[in-house]
Amino acid sequence: AMALGPMPGRAELGLPEGFVFCCFNVSRKIDAASLRLWLDILEGLPGAVLWLLVDHPETLENLRREAASRGLAGERLIAAPRLQPEAHLARCQAADLFLDTITCNAHTTASDALWAGVPVLTCPGANFSARVGASLVAAAGIDELIAASPAEYEETALALARDPARLQDLRRRLRQGRESCALFDTAQLVGHLEAAFAEMVARQDRGQPPARIAL
């Protein structure tokens, strides 16, 4: 696992001192449903900002235009340029809460945030790409951040932003479980896989057909 470097100051990152939501997914994952939810959340929490990975200036312009159409200041959407993995992990720590995209969830970026101690709020859908976030969040031990509906997602985001003690408790749990939670316990995963492989071989030796094996 990659070591976490010191967290840069918010001013250095171009962030204000207020509440910082983030999502570091590639822009193609930002569908209309996700953006609508995020703007609803910003509307409900004056002063909060949303920190987004931006590869092209036009992307930020388009997103800010959509915010402006809702009466929100475009400056509340802040660009995060691409960085090397070590620098990205270090800056992740400056965010308060990661907001997952809805149709195609965060994958590596959610794992990065969780490793950096940043809670991830997600809302699972019906297909695989919409359920990865919930799997990661559950494996990190904070499954109360798996919202049952978009309405609950919005409600939870606002509730967490207004409850610093609860948010700090989630961050503490992530930090404490960094080496032991199912998401990052590589030794445990290897042990489970080896046990599954051994069972496969044993079934074959017994002349049994392939079957589901629960890890």
Side-chain angles (χ1 to χ4, degrees):
M2 197 172 290
L4 276 175
M7 183 182 79
R10 282 194 168 179
E12 183 185 339
L13 294 166
L15 297 171
E17 286 305 314
F19 198 90
V20 176
F21 294 106
C22 74
C23 182
F24 298 122
N25 285 353
V26 291
S27 57
R28 65 178 175 272
K29 289 190 178 183
I30 303 176
D31 60 327
S34 301
L35 184 58
R36 189 164 53 246
L37 267 176
W38 294 347
L39 295 179
D40 286 345
I41 290 165
L42 290 180
E43 205 166 21
L45 197 72
V49 298
L50 177 58
W51 195 22
L52 299 167
L53 183 72
V54 172
D55 280 325
H56 305 288
E58 311 87 73
T59 301
L60 187 63
E61 289 169 17
N62 290 338
L63 293 171
R64 283 180 165 177
R65 189 180 308 115
E66 194 63 30
S69 75
R70 296 274 302 271
L72 298 170
E75 294 71 31
R76 294 179 69 187
L77 304 184
I78 298 175
R82 281 194 182 271
L83 297 178
Q84 290 299 310
E86 296 87 348
H88 173 64
L89 279 173
R91 76 172 170 188
C92 276
Q93 301 169 91
D96 292 304
L97 181 65
F98 187 109
L99 297 177
D100 198 6
T101 39
I102 302 300
T103 305
C104 185
N105 295 163
H107 293 47
T108 303
T109 51
S111 293
D112 287 344
L114 293 165
W115 180 254
V118 179
V120 173
L121 176 63
T122 192
C123 180
N127 57 19
F128 164 78
S129 66
R131 302 184 71 80
V132 175
S135 179
L136 294 171
V137 167
I142 55 167
D143 54 3
E144 63 262 48
L145 293 196
I146 302 171
S149 66
E152 187 180 306
Y153 175 107
E154 180 183 347
E155 182 184 307
T156 304
L158 292 172
L160 283 169
R162 294 168 179 154
D163 191 347
R166 183 181 168 202
L167 195 65
Q168 280 305 115
D169 182 61
L170 285 164
R171 294 178 76 100
R172 178 188 56 77
R173 283 163 53 193
L174 285 172
R175 287 194 302 270
Q176 288 181 345
R178 189 178 285 136
E179 304 292 343
S180 58
C181 71
L183 182 56
F184 299 120
D185 190 345
T186 306
Q188 180 182 350
L189 175 62
V190 169
H192 288 164
L193 279 173
E194 288 174 339
F197 294 152
E199 178 60 20
M200 290 178 199
V201 173
R203 288 186 63 85
Q204 185 178 42
D205 289 347
R206 294 194 296 265
Q208 295 175 303
R212 289 181 180 271
I213 296 172
L215 295 179

